[in-house]
């Protein structure tokens, strides 16, 4: 077994590998850029080596620097994590030339399956169903249009070397192809150094299901069941679960055996994932097609660990060291249900725009990487079925240079509903301040009736939130409970205020007991006295503790425990729970009747400005001063977190002034141009 390994990655996956290596008695080496000098993974590792500036192209993507760090520290092997160099054949070959073991699959398998075009050809030869499409090289936009017309819309344009949702565009007509083809090429070149693109038929009502593969160097290959990854946004996974609510035992066996056969055809070993697209309209489950094989560890691997009890990182290390798998296919079981939500630095209330900045506050529901977990199947389920994999810290920064993921929240339960309920409860306990995040959004998904029914497709988000996300709907019952909590908080704050020294006749001041609480335009009359609480005349059983200044309240209301994040506002509270933000007005009842006389403040009209929605690089500006534009016309392209965002005109008009130029780095809300 290795004595020391180097992790050629950053963030939560670096922490993840270090955790397992430490348990195995293996020393670890971290490599870090300027942006990550104070990151948790650097502190966790036994040694750390600085490898360059913040941009990945100048640090994490330079193989020579990784190899030099291995020589400097005496690391015998490298775990690449996912992304960066994890599927770069040249990196694996360079390590081999230096006698350093690559903790991953053989170079031949990476080469065969890492190229989407070549992998589809191999899959066809192996008798695996593949999606109809064009797998040759595409010359230019006109060629792409001809191919798309022949295949039939809708089509998906993908960068050949792409991954992680980058370098992908869905086209419903010729116009979409003309607009998106060059962007796909640029994203492929910028993120992966390869601008080749392929086009394939887009399967309607598709489910994205993947099979976890694990093999050793002695010819043993297993499948560790499936993961359902259908809930995606912009082709990037948001929610993953294992097992899939759609897959039957017969489907699981058919998919698993086919994926094992494909892996065997390329001499695969280590952990890998075969991604399949499955027609949700076909109840037989026979309509599944090969998409690609990811020759690395997946972001969502914890849900497989939770239901199988297998530590995939440990197995990767053991396989790389030449050990045989100790398990057989018959040993692979399914115990319970696991769900993973990716907590991203993006603002769902503003169209999911990337949100970089400092984590002013970061408190997960349970600590990540705790040392007191049982190191068995239960340990891989976290604390009481709640596990957080993260790589950030309070006061740290979510950088524009890397992926926007803040953390992964994994929950395990005996049933799917139990795992989902734990997600909702844990998300309510998550405290993140300083930047936008998607906690409310994923909580809303966990509560959504369609999610609970298991009727999932990759179009779930677009279909269920066509007008964007405004928060999970709150029932009248929940609103009433929040009103009771809000009145209790207001009473506690008023009680403290009356004790401030120097007030007129403080001994005669008493906090109000009757409150009018307005939530989402619904008013509730709440009365709080020494013995009971009533909401609109109905008694409520409320048990909670609150001290002015508390940010997180745990209240038991009529037998239900609810976690609520609170922040004071001028006229009440901002209450965040169950996937929504509620601006709550709390007034003494004798004052509330006068509030209707207050003049409403009207926000300024910003519709004539094109405003940069997030910090990013202005890649292209399509119009100039004096140009006429139509509603929906592309005006500019802003790149943020490796993704290109097309900014369009909200209405027709004429460009009055241009305030920025291509190549400039823009701050959020910077004015790009002004319309007459």
């Amino acid at each position: 077994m290795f004595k020391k390994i180097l992790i050629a990655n950053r963030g939560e996956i670096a922490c993840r590998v270090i955790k397992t290596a430490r348990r195995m008695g293996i020393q670890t080496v971290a490599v870090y850029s300027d942006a990550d000098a104070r990151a948790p993974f650097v502190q966790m590792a036994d040694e750390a080596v600085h490898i360059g500036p913040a941009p990945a192209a100048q640090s994490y993507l330079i193989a020579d620097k990784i190899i030099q760090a291995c020589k400097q520290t005496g690391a015998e092997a490298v775990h690449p994590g996912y992304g960066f160099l994890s599927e770069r054949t040249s990196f694996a070959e360079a390590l081999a030339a230096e006698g350093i073991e690559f903790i991953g699959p053989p170079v031949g398998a990476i080469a065969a399956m890492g190229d989407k075009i070549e992998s589809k050809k191999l899959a066809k030869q192996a008798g695996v169903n593949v999606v109809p499409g064009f797998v040759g090289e595409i010359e230019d936009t006109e060629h792409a249009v001809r191919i798309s017309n022949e295949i039939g819309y809708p089509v998906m344009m993908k960068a050949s070397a792409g991954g992680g949702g980058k370098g992908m565009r869905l086209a419903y007509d010729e116009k979409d192809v003309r607009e998106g083809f060059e962007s796909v090429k640029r994203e492929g070149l910028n993120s992966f150094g390869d601008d080749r693109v392929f086009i394939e038929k887009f399967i309607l009502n598709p489910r994205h299901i993947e099979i976890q593969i694990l093999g050793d160097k002695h010819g043993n290959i297993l499948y560790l069941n499936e993961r359902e990854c259908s809930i995606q946004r912009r082709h990037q996974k948001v929610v993953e679960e294992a097992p899939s609510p759609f897959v039957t035992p017969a489907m699981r066996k058919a998919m698993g055996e086919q994926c094992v056969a494909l892996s065997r055809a390329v001499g695969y070993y280590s952990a890998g994932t075969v991604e399949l697209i499955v027609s949700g309209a076909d109840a037989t489950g026979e309509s599944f097609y090969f998409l690609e094989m990811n020759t690395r560890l997946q972001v969502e691997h914890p849900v497989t660990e939770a239901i199988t009890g297998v530590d995939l990182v440990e197995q990767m290390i053991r396989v790389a060291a030449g050990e045989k798998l100790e398990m057989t296919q018959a040993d692979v079981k399914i115990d319970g249900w696991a769900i993973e939500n990716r907590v991203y630095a993006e603002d769902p209330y503003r169209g999911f725009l990337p949100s970089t900045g400092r984590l002013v506050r970061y408190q997960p529901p349970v600590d990540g990487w705790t040392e007191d977990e049982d190191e068995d199947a239960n340990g891989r389920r976290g604390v009481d079925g709640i596990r957080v994999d993260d790589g950030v810290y309070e006061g740290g920064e979510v950088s524009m240079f890397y992926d926007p993921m803040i953390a992964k929240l994994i929950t395990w339960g005996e049933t799917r509903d139990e795992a989902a309920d734990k997600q909702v409860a844990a998300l309510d306990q998550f405290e993140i301040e300083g930047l936008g995040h998607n906690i409310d959004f994923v909580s809303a998904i966990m509560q959504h009736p369609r999610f609970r029914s298991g009727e999932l497709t990759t179009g779930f988000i677009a279909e269920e939130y066509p007008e964007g996300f405004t928060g999970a709907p709150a029932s009248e019952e929940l609103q009433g409970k929040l009103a009771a909590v809000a009145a209790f908080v207001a009473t506690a704050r008023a009680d403290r205020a009356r004790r401030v020294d120097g007030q007129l006749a403080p001994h005669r001041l008493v906090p109000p007991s009757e409150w009018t609480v307005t939530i989402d335009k619904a008013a509730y009359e709440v009365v709080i006295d020494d013995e009971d609480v009533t909401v609109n005349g109905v008694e409520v059983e409320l048990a909670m503790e609150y001290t002015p200044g508390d940010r997180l309240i745990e209240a038991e209301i009529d037998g239900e425990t609810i976690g609520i994040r609170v922040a004071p506002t001028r006229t009440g509270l901002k209450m965040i729970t169950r996937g929504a933000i509620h601006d709550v007005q709390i007034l003494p009842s004798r004052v509330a009747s006068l509030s209707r006389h207050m003049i409403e403040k009207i926000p300024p009209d910003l519709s004539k400005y094109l405003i940069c929605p997030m910090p990013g690089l202005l890649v292209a500006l399509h119009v100039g001063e004096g140009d006429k534009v139509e509603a929906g016309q592309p005006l500019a392209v802003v790149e943020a977190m490796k993704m290109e965002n097309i900014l369009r005109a909200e209405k027709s008009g004429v460009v009055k002034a241009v305030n920025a130029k291509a190549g400039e780095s823009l701050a959020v809300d910077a004015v790009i141009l002004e319309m007459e």
Side-chain angles (χ1 to χ4, degrees):
M1 181 50 65
F2 307 118
K3 294 181 179 179
K4 183 184 291 187
I5 65 172
L6 181 144
I7 299 94
N9 217 297
R10 61 177 299 279
E12 63 87 14
I13 188 58
C15 294
R16 167 73 188 88
V17 176
I18 291 169
K19 174 76 184 299
T20 287
R22 179 184 294 168
R23 179 171 54 80
M24 295 174 69
I26 300 171
Q27 290 189 309
T28 55
V29 179
V31 291
Y32 65 93
S33 69
D34 290 345
D36 288 331
R38 303 174 72 178
F41 76 93
V42 176
Q43 308 300 319
M44 283 180 68
D46 296 295
E47 299 176 64
V49 179
H50 176 252
I51 55 170
Q58 301 175 42
S59 51
Y60 296 107
L61 287 172
I62 299 181
D64 289 345
K65 290 188 176 183
I66 306 296
I67 291 171
Q68 182 57 42
C70 288
K71 292 179 178 179
Q72 178 182 329
T73 58
E76 305 159 78
V78 171
H79 195 300
Y82 48 74
F84 293 145
L85 298 171
S86 61
E87 295 178 282
R88 194 76 61 86
T89 54
S90 59
F91 179 56
E93 289 169 342
L95 289 175
E98 297 291 342
I100 302 167
E101 193 67 38
F102 180 69
I103 303 176
V107 172
I110 300 173
M113 307 311 291
D115 186 311
K116 288 185 174 65
I117 292 175
E118 293 304 316
S119 66
K120 285 185 179 296
K121 292 178 181 177
L122 285 167
K124 271 187 175 181
Q125 293 169 7
V128 179
N129 291 340
V130 297
V131 180
F134 184 84
V135 294
E137 286 197 39
I138 300 170
E139 299 164 7
D140 52 27
T141 300
E142 292 302 323
H143 190 198
V145 168
R146 291 198 301 273
I147 291 167
S148 301
N149 289 337
E150 290 171 5
I151 294 172
Y153 296 98
V155 298
M156 180 69 76
M157 298 177 288
K158 294 184 181 181
S160 178
K166 298 178 180 65
M168 301 173 72
R169 287 288 189 283
L170 180 59
Y172 286 95
D173 52 34
E174 182 176 318
K175 178 174 174 286
D176 289 345
V177 176
R178 292 187 183 279
E179 280 189 11
F181 181 72
E182 291 299 327
S183 284
V184 174
K185 288 189 70 173
R186 282 197 301 270
E187 285 187 9
L189 185 62
N190 292 340
S191 295
F192 310 103
D194 187 340
D195 68 352
R196 291 178 302 155
V197 175
F198 72 95
I199 299 177
E200 66 185 9
K201 179 73 174 176
F202 183 73
I203 305 298
L204 294 173
N205 298 322
R207 299 183 79 116
H208 186 124
I209 295 173
E210 58 190 33
I211 301 292
Q212 176 67 58
I213 294 295
L214 181 63
D216 62 25
K217 296 179 180 180
H218 306 277
N220 302 303
I221 305 178
L222 313 174
Y223 63 92
L224 274 63
N225 307 313
E226 81 284 350
R227 295 185 287 260
E228 172 90 51
C229 306
S230 294
I231 297 183
Q232 305 175 5
R233 196 188 66 77
R234 291 186 68 174
H235 317 299
Q236 196 161 23
K237 299 165 190 172
V238 176
V239 181
E240 299 103 347
E241 59 182 306
S244 164
F246 183 72
V247 173
T248 64
M251 289 169 61
R252 181 174 299 117
K253 186 172 187 293
M255 291 176 176
E257 290 178 351
Q258 190 175 75
C259 294
V260 166
L262 178 63
S263 303
R264 198 176 299 282
V266 293
Y268 201 88
Y269 56 76
S270 193
T273 296
V274 180
E275 300 198 350
L276 306 169
I277 190 167
V278 182
S279 173
D282 185 357
T284 68
E286 295 177 359
S287 300
F288 62 88
Y289 306 93
F290 170 78
L291 273 181
E292 62 181 335
M293 183 172 189
N294 292 315
T295 55
R296 53 169 168 79
L297 192 66
Q298 293 279 93
V299 176
E300 57 272 21
H301 73 274
V303 294
T304 296
E305 294 184 330
I307 66 165
T308 63
V310 177
D311 185 324
L312 287 169
V313 172
E314 177 182 350
Q315 294 303 317
M316 291 180 75
I317 294 172
R318 293 192 181 282
V319 166
E323 295 185 13
K324 286 185 178 181
L325 294 178
E326 294 186 352
M327 70 191 86
T328 66
Q329 190 64 57
D331 296 325
V332 179
K333 306 296 184 184
I334 296 178
D335 182 11
W337 213 286
I339 300 174
E340 173 180 297
N341 274 301
R342 301 188 188 190
V343 179
Y344 280 127
E346 61 183 15
D347 192 342
Y349 295 102
R350 299 183 66 207
F352 297 93
L353 294 174
S355 179
T356 58
R358 192 165 301 283
L359 283 165
V360 176
R361 190 170 307 285
Y362 176 74
Q363 293 293 327
V366 299
D367 291 337
W369 319 117
T370 51
E371 294 301 317
D372 57 352
E373 296 174 13
D374 296 327
E375 293 299 345
D376 55 13
N378 293 330
R380 282 177 275 289
R381 294 170 184 164
V383 180
D384 296 327
I386 300 172
R387 167 176 164 181
V388 173
D389 287 13
D390 60 16
V392 298
Y393 63 100
E394 189 169 279
E397 190 172 353
V398 176
S399 169
M400 65 179 287
F401 296 105
Y402 311 118
D403 188 88
M405 190 164 63
I406 298 171
K408 302 186 306 197
L409 176 65
I410 305 98
T411 55
W412 177 89
E414 295 285 351
T415 65
R416 186 170 184 264
D417 277 342
E418 183 184 343
D421 289 342
K422 285 185 177 181
Q423 280 283 341
V424 175
L427 289 164
D428 281 344
Q429 300 284 332
F430 234 120
E431 289 188 75
I432 299 178
E433 294 179 17
L435 42 72
H437 55 77
N438 68 336
I439 285 176
D440 287 350
F441 179 63
V442 292
S443 177
I445 292 175
M446 294 294 99
Q447 301 169 67
H448 200 289
R450 180 174 162 188
F451 174 80
R452 291 300 180 112
S453 73
E455 297 297 321
L456 311 178
T457 71
T458 55
F460 178 95
I461 290 175
E463 293 160 8
E464 299 301 325
Y465 304 96
E467 303 300 321
F469 179 72
T470 56
S475 66
E476 187 175 339
E477 180 187 8
L478 177 59
Q479 287 181 342
K481 292 177 178 180
L482 294 180
V485 173
F488 187 97
V489 169
T491 302
R493 291 169 63 190
D495 185 58
R496 187 179 72 164
R498 77 185 179 93
R499 300 175 190 276
V500 175
D501 195 21
Q503 296 188 89
L504 180 65
H507 60 283
R508 290 200 296 269
L509 290 174
V510 293
S513 59
E514 298 181 5
W515 300 90
T516 298
V517 181
T518 304
I519 303 176
D520 302 331
K521 298 183 179 180
Y524 296 85
E525 299 300 326
V526 185
V527 178
I528 293 184
D529 60 31
D530 292 337
E531 295 185 2
D532 52 37
V533 178
T534 62
V535 178
N536 290 345
V538 178
E539 187 172 342
V540 173
E541 293 293 332
L542 175 64
M544 60 174 282
E545 293 183 3
Y546 174 77
T547 301
D550 287 352
R551 300 182 305 274
L552 183 64
I553 296 172
E554 193 166 295
E556 186 177 331
I557 316 169
D558 292 339
E560 180 186 11
T561 300
I562 303 177
I564 308 167
R565 286 165 278 146
V566 297
T569 62
R570 188 173 59 85
T571 59
L573 288 173
K574 180 167 73 173
M575 305 180 77
I576 308 172
T577 188
R578 294 297 192 264
I581 300 173
H582 302 278
D583 288 314
V584 182
Q585 184 187 69
I586 315 168
L587 296 173
S589 294
R590 60 184 175 79
V591 176
S593 61
L594 305 174
S595 63
R596 67 178 182 273
H597 299 294
M598 298 296 291
I599 298 173
E600 184 178 353
K601 185 175 180 180
I602 300 174
D605 180 16
L606 299 176
S607 62
K608 66 179 182 178
Y609 298 102
L610 179 67
I611 295 174
C612 187
M614 81 290 280
L617 180 70
L618 184 60
V619 175
L621 190 61
H622 299 308
V623 295
E625 189 174 324
D627 288 353
K628 292 182 179 180
V629 300
E630 299 297 330
Q633 179 179 334
L635 302 180
V637 178
V638 175
E639 181 185 301
M641 290 188 171
K642 304 178 185 176
M643 300 288 283
E644 289 192 357
N645 303 273
I646 300 174
L647 307 185
R648 302 177 184 273
E650 292 186 3
K651 59 185 180 181
S652 301
V654 177
V655 178
K656 178 181 179 181
V658 177
N659 301 77
K661 59 184 179 181
E664 282 188 18
S665 292
L666 303 178
V668 64
D669 293 335
V671 175
I672 298 174
L673 56 84
E674 181 181 354
M675 308 289 288
E676 290 183 353

